[in-house]
Amino acid sequence: MTKKALITGLTGQDGSYLAELLLNKGYEVWGMVRRTATENTRNINHLLDQIQIVEADLLDSRSLVETIKKVMPDEVYNLASQSHVGTSFSQPIFTAEVTGVGALRLFDAVQLIKPDSKIYQASSSEQFGDAAESPQKESTPMRARSPYGAAKIFAHNAAKVYRESYDMFVSCGILFNHESPRRGDLFVTQKIAKAAARIKVGKEKDLTLWDLKPRRDWGFAGDYVEAMWLMLQQDKPDDFVIATGENHTVKEFCELAFDHVGLNYKDYVKLDSSKARPAEVSVLIGDYSKARKVLGWKPKIGFKELVEMMVSAQLAEER
């Protein structure tokens, strides 16, 4: 019997890669999208004839209940959120409503209509914030440094409540930074990749960032969606850190990106500390040993390959 999967946040980076993965595994894939004045289906245009779309919103409980009734999914992947850390400082209430309470609304809708559905909740390394230990693992205390991180902690804890109170299968993937050519333009990695490409072809002159020192554990989104799927194939729900186990600075990302197009980043990257966030997380690095042992998962794409992949994709668009 064909499995049905519902993906919230279908049009995002992770949603599009996950949809591809599930289609290749023979799933009937439904994607939940929020109605907006301007549709953005760029990441899924090549999949539109293979998936089914349903309109709903994490801010609207009724639409979620109706969606679960319509789809009756075997698996639910909650990838929708206001996912930009910087934006969460300027829109903290909206971020909390969508990223935090929105997840709770979804869990509740599933519990009311189809409690035997397996749920994947997209947790985040930003929950660790000012981390008490390094590398971070599933048991590391969570000390968020942004409204986004705080909202993700709420959703993460709500997932555990529904798991333990209603005996529902809700697994949380604590994903560290993961990127791809489909990454949104607001994110620093895509800003760098795009700037390197545009400067190379003469469409821009420089790139302004606020800090080159933060260190992140960067992996490839296409690898990470496989881990999401593997979590829902287990006999019991659990929490898993998904990461590469190594970290790199924003400076290193710049170096590789500009090197890939034959430029020296020092000639083009400018710093403006006035653009800095109210609070920043300095270092994040994940310990994915549990995922390796239990899920048999490990990352395939390395940091250098990831950066070059993103820059090459941007260069292809600009030429």
Side-chain angles (χ1 to χ4, degrees):
M1 185 174 176
T2 302
K3 282 187 177 181
K4 286 186 185 181
L6 172 66
I7 303 171
T8 75
L10 173 72
T11 59
Q13 167 188 258
D14 293 7
S16 64
Y17 281 111
L18 179 61
E20 289 175 348
L21 177 78
L22 296 177
L23 287 169
N24 287 335
K25 292 184 178 296
Y27 279 67
E28 179 182 322
V29 177
W30 289 71
M32 193 183 97
V33 298
R34 180 170 56 91
R35 168 59 67 184
T36 58
T38 304
E39 292 187 359
N40 180 16
T41 59
R42 176 181 177 180
N43 285 336
I44 60 165
N45 280 336
H46 63 298
L47 302 175
L48 288 175
D49 61 344
Q50 303 175 64
I51 57 182
Q52 301 191 63
I53 304 293
V54 59
E55 290 183 2
D57 197 319
L58 290 180
L59 296 176
D60 183 6
S61 295
R62 180 174 178 177
S63 72
L64 297 176
V65 168
E66 292 303 316
T67 294
I68 301 302
K69 283 182 179 178
K70 182 174 184 177
V71 180
M72 296 299 285
D74 298 294
E75 298 174 3
V76 178
Y77 296 85
N78 185 34
L79 310 184
S81 73
Q82 188 302 98
S83 59
H84 190 258
V85 175
T87 300
S88 77
F89 283 102
S90 59
Q91 300 182 37
I93 308 304
F94 176 72
T95 300
E97 282 285 353
V98 175
T99 305
V101 183
L104 176 64
R105 293 187 186 100
L106 180 63
F107 303 154
D108 203 51
V110 174
Q111 191 272 326
L112 288 170
I113 305 303
K114 197 173 186 298
D116 63 335
S117 298
K118 290 186 173 183
I119 302 174
Y120 169 82
Q121 167 59 24
S123 292
S124 168
S125 60
E126 288 292 328
Q127 294 168 203
F128 295 124
D130 183 19
E133 62 182 355
S134 188
Q136 294 86 51
K137 51 184 181 289
E138 292 79 8
S139 59
T140 300
M142 295 181 176
R143 299 158 56 173
R145 296 265 289 169
S146 67
Y148 170 75
K152 279 292 188 182
I153 290 175
F154 177 88
H156 184 82
N157 288 335
K160 290 186 174 184
V161 168
Y162 275 72
R163 181 195 302 169
E164 296 167 3
S165 300
Y166 299 106
D167 196 28
M168 291 172 62
F169 193 113
V170 189
S171 283
C172 297
I174 308 172
L175 271 58
F176 280 64
N177 294 64
H178 47 292
E179 317 297 324
S180 77
R182 300 177 192 174
R183 189 49 133 166
D185 289 344
L186 284 176
F187 293 83
V188 68
T189 51
Q190 193 69 298
K191 283 182 180 179
I192 296 168
K194 190 170 187 175
R198 289 179 64 83
I199 291 170
K200 177 64 178 179
V201 300
K203 293 183 179 180
E204 286 184 13
K205 293 183 178 179
D206 52 44
L207 167 65
T208 300
L209 301 174
W210 57 87
D211 194 356
L212 298 179
K213 296 188 294 294
R215 304 184 69 90
R216 292 292 183 271
D217 187 326
W218 278 300
F220 173 52
D223 290 343
Y224 286 32
V225 298
E226 182 183 10
M228 300 176 188
W229 176 76
L230 285 168
M231 289 179 211
L232 298 198
Q233 311 317 305
Q234 306 306 304
D235 294 331
K236 296 179 180 179
D238 207 344
D239 303 329
F240 295 91
V241 163
I242 303 300
T244 69
E246 60 181 67
N247 64 10
H248 300 271
T249 61
V250 175
K251 176 184 174 182
E252 289 176 79
F253 201 105
C254 287
E255 287 177 330
L256 285 175
F258 281 82
D259 281 350
H260 190 55
V261 294
L263 301 175
N264 186 335
Y265 85 97
K266 294 179 181 178
D267 296 330
Y268 305 98
V269 176
K270 300 179 179 180
L271 296 179
D272 182 357
S273 60
S274 69
K275 296 180 181 295
R277 299 164 182 165
E280 182 60 88
V281 176
S282 299
V283 180
L284 288 172
I285 180 171
D287 176 356
Y288 70 94
S289 57
K290 180 178 176 181
R292 184 174 60 240
K293 180 179 179 180
V294 177
L295 305 178
W297 179 88
K298 63 180 180 180
K300 301 180 182 70
I301 301 295
F303 178 64
K304 185 174 186 292
E305 185 178 355
L306 172 64
V307 177
E308 293 179 350
M309 177 198 306
M310 294 178 69
V311 175
S312 293
Q314 288 294 331
L315 202 57
E317 283 195 18
E318 298 298 337
R319 283 178 167 165

